[in-house]
Amino acid sequence: MASSYRSPRRRRRAAVLSAAVAAVALVVSLVLAFRPDHEADDGPAAATPVAGTQVTVSPKAPRRKPSPASPSPTATAAATTPSAATASPAKPSATRTPPTVSATAPLAGRIRPEVAYRGVATFYDAGTGDGACLYGPSDDLMVAAMNHTDYESSKACGAYVRVRAAGGASVTVRITNECPLPCAPGQLDLSAQAFAKLADPSRGQIPITWTLLSPSTSDTVSIRYKTGSSRYWCALQVIGHRNPTARLEVRAGGGWRRLPRTEYNYFLSADGGGCGGAIRITDIYGERLTVNGIALRPDVEQPTRVQFARH
């Protein structure tokens, strides 16, 4: 009887002890779950990064595979910071360095200011006004082709000259073409429209004198890269200059590199050095225009907003 009476009491005691142990285990797990440094906590470490700043991920942060719909913090910061490759190109800007002696043209070739040249004028069908200088079509057909000698491998391209006939009539033309041999030194082959302002076209050829001008103009200088230009090969052309262009240099290797001028009126960088970088243009009077922000975009005329001084 004694034996059967004590057995239920023992069973009740064991049940109480089991319940107490379970309660203690529950309390311990709750304490651990609410500790501040628990790895499941996404508190301050999950703050949204500021665009354009570098994001450093805590080593304790859980490694989650980013969802395609929501990029990770690092990807978000990179997407909102434009890179050099995708940033919008800056607008061209330029600075002017005036010549030390403005009254002379130390960089002029055969055609010099304040010199009267004698020769004959003939005429040709100028078509759209384009020619060997490769400026392209123009609405202004007051143009001329310079004889081969005075053309001087395109140095005469873009020059403005005033042409006078023996009777006193005059016309101002821009050199856009070359008159090949046998055109003699001093000869100008005028557009038919320009010749008609000097004499009746039936005459065919007339004696003339002509002088270099530095005209009044509202145009500004522009730069154009030749078709096919890239960072490995490029050719640049100066357009709309008031005075003849003597030099073109590009920024390369920490200094200025002078490019050779071709007969087709482009300055050539055969190895791509300086292509797409800063450009420095010098006229025959020694004035320099330093241009930044010209994109390497072939066959696009890009204005510089500046012009050489008038002489």
Side-chain angles (χ1 to χ4, degrees):
M1 292 290 295
S3 163
S4 61
Y5 176 76
R6 287 193 298 269
S7 177
R9 292 181 62 186
R10 289 192 187 98
R11 285 196 295 272
R12 284 196 297 273
R13 237 183 246 141
V16 170
L17 289 174
S18 298
V21 170
V24 171
L26 177 60
V27 171
V28 171
S29 63
L30 288 173
V31 169
L32 291 174
F34 286 96
R35 286 178 59 188
D37 60 348
H38 194 269
E39 288 186 0
D41 185 10
D42 287 334
T48 303
V50 178
T53 60
Q54 183 177 359
V55 178
T56 303
V57 181
S58 169
K60 292 185 179 181
R63 297 180 181 273
R64 298 186 182 95
K65 185 177 180 180
S67 168
S70 64
S72 65
T74 304
T76 302
T80 54
T81 305
S83 65
T86 60
S88 299
K91 292 182 178 180
S93 62
T95 57
R96 294 175 55 181
T97 303
T100 53
V101 182
S102 60
T104 62
L107 300 179
R110 289 181 57 85
I111 303 175
R112 308 183 66 83
E114 301 180 3
V115 175
Y117 296 85
R118 295 184 179 275
V120 297
T122 51
F123 66 91
Y124 72 107
D125 180 3
T128 63
D130 199 4
C133 295
L134 299 184
Y135 288 129
S138 172
D139 294 333
D140 182 7
L141 293 182
M142 293 297 106
V143 296
M146 181 63 70
N147 67 83
H148 172 78
T149 304
D150 294 325
Y151 183 77
E152 203 174 359
S153 297
S154 79
K155 285 184 180 180
C157 284
Y160 289 87
V161 297
R162 178 178 286 126
V163 188
R164 293 187 183 277
S170 68
V171 64
T172 298
V173 294
R174 183 169 67 108
I175 304 303
T176 62
N177 209 346
E178 176 186 11
C179 184
L181 297 173
C183 278
Q187 181 175 349
L188 289 177
D189 202 19
L190 306 176
S191 68
Q193 293 86 340
F195 188 95
K197 290 184 177 296
L198 300 178
D200 191 307
S202 62
R203 296 181 60 181
Q205 176 177 305
I206 59 173
I208 57 168
T209 59
W210 54 271
T211 54
L212 179 67
L213 291 182
S214 179
S216 174
T217 177
S218 59
D219 293 339
T220 58
V221 174
S222 297
I223 298 293
R224 179 164 57 199
Y225 277 97
K226 197 176 189 306
T227 302
S229 291
S230 69
R231 294 193 178 275
Y232 307 100
W233 177 96
C234 71
L236 301 89
Q237 182 183 58
V238 186
I239 305 170
H241 44 91
R242 170 184 277 130
N243 307 317
T245 301
R247 293 176 180 170
L248 186 144
E249 301 163 282
V250 292
R251 192 77 177 176
W256 290 103
R257 176 186 180 185
R258 183 178 174 183
L259 300 185
R261 191 172 194 165
T262 66
E263 291 187 356
Y264 51 87
N265 193 34
Y266 275 85
F267 294 85
L268 180 63
S269 176
D271 59 2
C275 297
I279 302 166
R280 190 164 71 181
I281 317 158
T282 307
D283 70 1
I284 62 172
Y285 297 95
E287 182 179 7
R288 291 174 177 170
L289 304 180
T290 303
V291 184
N292 295 283
I294 297 295
L296 211 170
R297 299 170 58 196
D299 204 27
V300 176
E301 187 174 330
Q302 302 181 62
T304 65
R305 304 180 183 179
V306 291
Q307 180 60 270
F308 291 116
R310 189 179 182 187
H311 295 267

